[in-house]
Amino acid sequence: MDKFSFLNAAHTAHFAQLYDEYLINPDRVEPSWRAFFQGFDFGMETAHEDDFEMNQAAAPVAIPEHVQKEFQVVKLIDAYRTRGHLFTKTNPVRERRTYEPTLDLVNFGLTDADLNTDFNSGDIIGLGKTSLKNIIAHLKKVYCESIGVEYMYIRKPAEVKWIQNWLHKNDNHPTFDKDDKLQILKKLNEAVSFESFLHTKYVGQKRFSLEGNESLIPALDALVESAANKGVNHFVLGMAHRGRLNVLTNIFGKPVKDIFSEFDGKDYEEDIFDGDVKYHLGYTSKRKTDSGKDININIVPNPSHLETVGAVVEGIARAKQDMHTPDDFSKVLPIVIHGDAAIAGQGIVYEVVQMAQLDAYKTAGTIHMVVNNQVGFTTNYLDARSSTYCTDIAKVTLSPVLHVNADDPEAVVHAMNFALDYRMEFGRDVFIDLLGYRKYGHNEGDEPRFTQPQLYKAISKHKNPRDIYAEKLLSQGVIDNTTVKKFEKAYKSKLEKQLETSREKENTIITPFMQDEWKGFEQATEVEMMEKVDSGVDRKVLEKITKSISQLPEGENFIRKIKKIIEVRQTMFDEDKLDWAMGEHLAYGSLMMEGYNVRMSGQDVERGTFSHRHAVVKSENHENEFILHNAIEGAKGKLEIYNSHLSEYGVVGFEYGYALAQPNTLTIWEAQFGDFSNGAQIMMDQYISAGEDKWKNQNGLVKLLPHGYEGQGAEHSSARIERYLQLCAKDNMFMANCTTPANMFHLLRRQMLVNYRKPLVVFTPKSLLRSPRAVSSVDELVNGHFQEVIDVDGDAFAKASTLVFTSGKFYYDLLEYREENNRTDVALVRLEQLFPLPIEQIQEVMKKYGSKDVVWAQEEPRNMGAYAHLMLHMPETRNWRVCSRNMYAAPASGSSTRSKARQARIIEDVFNTNK
């Protein structure tokens, strides 16, 4: 008897369900069935369609035709799920590329003769037993019309099943009532009318119009309304310039008169900042949704560096989650709007996407939306990426993608509803590819026909999405011939009034971003930045902190080395010799006692690149993690410290965003080596150094950059001090190169104790972390404050003929040489704060010594380091004698022998006072 004869008698619906499960997740299917289906698939691939057999147990066994057909229909269904997105009607102005194989019946061993045959496979898509014709019609509606869906690469069957159930409701088409449709039309009208109004009133001015993708506006409107009903009360949105003005006015409610003032090029009301172009500015508003929910919505300021803002969005969202909804991250929704060329071309997208499920950076799912106009400036999409879709980055995190025709606003809103439901259900990212076009050139002054003549010939004849949708609603009897004209007249009348109002004002007023978070903080000039801050801490408080961070939890096993490292903390305190790590730890602990939180991330920060920090300790047997700071008795704040993924650009952007939303958290990013921070140089240039000047945004982010020449080569020596100092102007940042644990302690505390926030860059040591010279007493933490200049040479050096200013670790090299050679004719002074430059203190020291030979000494080559900065801010330094390495292209030699020789020559040069 044929051992597969049971296939003739059993109900084929069961086999179809099993085969469908096998196709989605083979491991969930019972092994014998899995082997059977593997054999079937093999047979499908190798057998002739008219004589199908499969090889099982070394004997050919014919599968009953009706069962074989059922399996082939399941294969067809699977193909629509997997490849249906390649055969959609999602491009409004271009024919789709041709993909092979197609979804034709012949590719699945089926023919037109099977169309009227009923198949139990209809069960797996919710149709029950039905004809192949009905199955195909359903699949085409679900997968091949205005929405194409990619999701079958997701590895969690529960997610796949949820998606399929969602899509198969109403054939993946919306069921909007009349009010819903009128709201979509209203928002479409606002989007279209706003752009046409600006096009008429400000001819030729750059506005980076949304025309061709106006359905973004009803989609965002629906997202905000629906998300608020699901409990979301904070929205954080980031986007580049394309369509930003439209979003600002029609979603965020920014007064149009303010936008008109920006178009008119008026000066700013305040002199203390320079502002930015209108399509880069941020905005925060509180609004009430149509259903009466109070929400807070933020659009993050951004530079022209596309996709940079995504990292900042995630940081702000996480900060708001930690602050407002720590038990339910879903209540804060990050939204990132991308350009098609940018999301495919910019590496920062990958860095941010990789954050999505990491403990340090997760935000319970981001909704990504691509304003896809099929061209990047003048570059066609075929020249802009190798991937099929611009959104293929989504597959990194197995996120579903919906490709949607921007001319079908109901489909766009429907896709947005899917994205929201998926995010709220699974706390994961989801992508929407809004496929439209760009009506004009990159900016409104460009001629797009130079580079895309055929495309723009088609676009010139194409109706806008509002008019297309209005015709549809008119045919459905939802509106009459006057509806759109009434909407347009009312909206344009409002714009005309706002235009008149704007022209009555002389200046442009810029509203600060996230004002609620920054209540009580003042903007500071150089004067306030140079004021002394009492940052000392009572000794008893320091004792309590030390006791907590010197004791490992009981009942856990730790390796011997970690026990010694932790125990020695108490010894250092008792012996009054605090090293660098203790200076840090006591700064964090004392701030926590005063109610501040501390957050740090970066590569290897938990232990510290140089094994000095050990803020997180792990048990030996189970690797249980403990942060001893969080056990400090009486501490009101919390320490969170995370090893980051191998990213600088994305992580620095995230932490900048975090600090932007949490001014009462000491937010720190530490580079593995200071040299590596140049991987995040865009964040430094566009946000950290200039954010307050451009956007009125204060930010207290701290960057710790290990720096110092210890013969470790060109990439492990210099944090490129010169680059940071070149960005310094007026009152935008603090720059420091500390030499003692006490000064580091006071520097970190000052960062939080003042009533303003400025970014702080600290060039931290490597060799000094364990140097017996670089220690501080407890009293220096109790009674001191941050010292911008340290001059501790006593009476023995009062008549020194040479006065040497230096900074950082190099001071100790000079000190060692001076002691070995008993050179009391050379005074050494440390410049601890490089910006704002303490000019008056430097001048006082020079007056005190009265030395004719004044030296600036640095380890770095002459064209690097702080020398050029000193000349720029203190013209008299041009007359100083400079001792440094020669000018080089690379920061340091790769040979440790050569490096030591160069270092020795600088030191000898410093003490060669006969020059």
Side-chain angles (χ1 to χ4, degrees), residues 153-446:
Y153 43 76
I154 294 173
R155 296 173 190 149
K156 293 184 178 179
E159 286 186 32
V160 172
K161 201 69 179 174
W162 184 94
I163 291 171
Q164 290 174 351
N165 289 339
W166 201 101
L167 296 176
H168 286 286
K169 288 183 293 187
N170 198 43
D171 296 344
N172 194 24
H173 283 58
T175 53
F176 296 140
D177 60 24
K178 181 178 180 179
D179 289 342
D180 293 330
K181 294 179 179 182
L182 287 174
Q183 178 66 10
I184 291 172
L185 180 63
K186 176 187 171 187
K187 298 309 288 187
L188 265 180
N189 175 70
E190 291 176 1
V192 171
S193 299
F194 177 77
E195 297 293 356
S196 64
F197 188 86
L198 292 180
H199 192 65
T200 303
K201 299 296 182 181
Y202 298 98
V203 179
Q205 280 210 44
K206 290 182 182 181
R207 70 178 191 275
F208 298 103
S209 140
L210 186 59
E211 286 162 282
N213 280 96
E214 293 97 330
S215 50
L216 173 70
I217 298 302
L220 288 175
D221 176 67
L223 173 63
V224 170
E225 291 289 334
S226 299
N229 290 334
K230 292 178 182 293
V232 175
N233 45 40
H234 287 270
F235 297 80
V236 186
L237 184 147
M239 66 183 298
H241 46 273
R242 178 71 54 199
R244 187 182 185 90
L245 299 179
N246 212 314
V247 171
L248 275 166
T249 187
N250 289 318
I251 298 298
F252 282 79
K254 179 174 180 176
V256 191
K257 61 182 176 59
D258 292 345
I259 294 176
F260 292 150
S261 290
E262 292 156 11
F263 267 104
D264 288 331
K266 298 174 184 176
D267 200 358
Y268 300 105
E269 188 179 49
E270 300 170 72
D271 292 329
I272 61 173
F273 83 113
D274 280 341
D276 199 359
V277 290
K278 50 195 168 288
Y279 36 80
H280 286 176
L281 300 174
Y283 196 74
T284 295
S285 64
K286 294 180 179 178
R287 61 173 262 195
K288 194 178 285 289
T289 67
D290 292 344
S291 59
K293 302 289 192 304
D294 292 317
I295 58 172
N296 179 281
I297 55 177
N298 308 271
I299 185 168
V300 182
N302 72 289
S304 288
H305 290 66
L306 304 178
E307 301 298 337
T308 301
V309 73
V312 183
V313 165
E314 301 299 341
I316 292 172
R318 177 59 179 265
K320 284 178 169 288
Q321 289 164 339
D322 286 346
M323 181 166 45
H324 299 300
T325 61
D327 298 324
D328 187 358
F329 277 17
S330 72
K331 292 181 179 294
V332 179
L333 176 60
I335 308 161
V336 181
I337 299 176
H338 310 265
D340 53 312
I343 193 174
Q346 298 291 301
I348 181 66
V349 181
Y350 181 86
E351 294 187 34
V352 174
V353 163
Q354 280 288 16
M355 294 177 173
Q357 297 299 318
L358 303 181
D359 286 344
Y361 311 107
K362 61 186 179 184
T363 53
T366 298
I367 292 179
H368 299 266
M369 196 156 190
V370 180
V371 176
N372 188 340
N373 50 45
Q374 307 187 58
V375 60
F377 202 157
T378 66
T379 304
N380 278 316
Y381 72 96
L382 291 174
D383 297 317
R385 63 179 184 266
S386 297
S387 59
T388 301
Y389 295 114
C390 64
T391 50
D392 282 343
I393 187 73
K395 297 179 176 67
V396 170
T397 48
L398 306 178
S399 301
V401 181
L402 290 84
H403 307 278
V404 196
N405 190 323
D407 273 359
D408 187 344
E410 287 190 14
V412 176
V413 173
H414 185 67
M416 188 64 92
N417 288 338
F418 169 90
L420 176 64
D421 287 351
Y422 179 84
R423 186 265 180 179
M424 298 301 285
E425 179 72 21
F426 297 106
R428 298 181 65 86
D429 288 11
V430 58
F431 289 70
I432 296 177
D433 179 15
L434 183 63
L435 202 70
Y437 54 91
R438 189 183 68 193
K439 185 174 181 180
Y440 303 105
H442 177 67
N443 62 65
E444 285 63 34
D446 285 341

Side-chain angles (χ1 to χ4, degrees), residues 680-701:
Q681 196 64 41
I682 289 174
M683 289 309 312
M684 193 67 209
D685 292 347
Q686 310 305 325
Y687 279 94
I688 297 169
S689 68
E692 186 172 2
D693 204 27
K694 293 194 294 187
W695 309 314
K696 277 176 108 171
N697 290 344
Q698 293 191 59
N699 194 290
L701 177 66

Side-chain angles (χ1 to χ4, degrees), residues 726-738:
Q726 188 181 31
L727 295 172
C728 292
K730 293 171 59 179
D731 50 25
N732 66 330
M733 295 184 285
F734 284 110
M735 297 279 153
N737 193 2
C738 298

Side-chain angles (χ1 to χ4, degrees), residues 44 159 234 287 426 501 536 549 576 622 624 637 695 703 874 882 889 892:
M44 282 276 289
E159 286 186 32
H234 287 270
R287 61 173 262 195
F426 297 106
T501 302
I549 64 174
D576 209 21
H622 305 292
N624 294 327
W695 309 314
K703 293 180 73 174
M874 284 187 69
V882 183

Side-chain angles (χ1 to χ4, degrees), residues 119-139:
F119 289 96
N120 286 300
S121 303
D123 272 349
I124 65 179
I125 54 175
L127 298 181
K129 186 175 183 178
T130 189
S131 69
L132 178 59
K133 184 177 181 180
N134 288 340
I135 290 172
I136 292 173
H138 173 71
L139 291 172

Side-chain angles (χ1 to χ4, degrees), residues 33-75:
W33 276 108
R34 184 164 65 245
F36 174 80
F37 291 136
Q38 287 169 345
F40 174 76
D41 284 349
F42 178 75
M44 282 276 289
E45 293 169 5
T46 59
H48 189 277
E49 67 176 288
D50 293 327
D51 186 23
F52 179 78
E53 288 186 340
M54 75 176 217
N55 189 359
Q56 179 75 24
V61 180
I63 293 184
E65 183 180 3
H66 72 287
V67 177
Q68 175 185 324
K69 291 279 189 181
E70 287 285 0
F71 288 163
Q72 289 165 332
V73 172
V74 175
K75 272 284 192 184

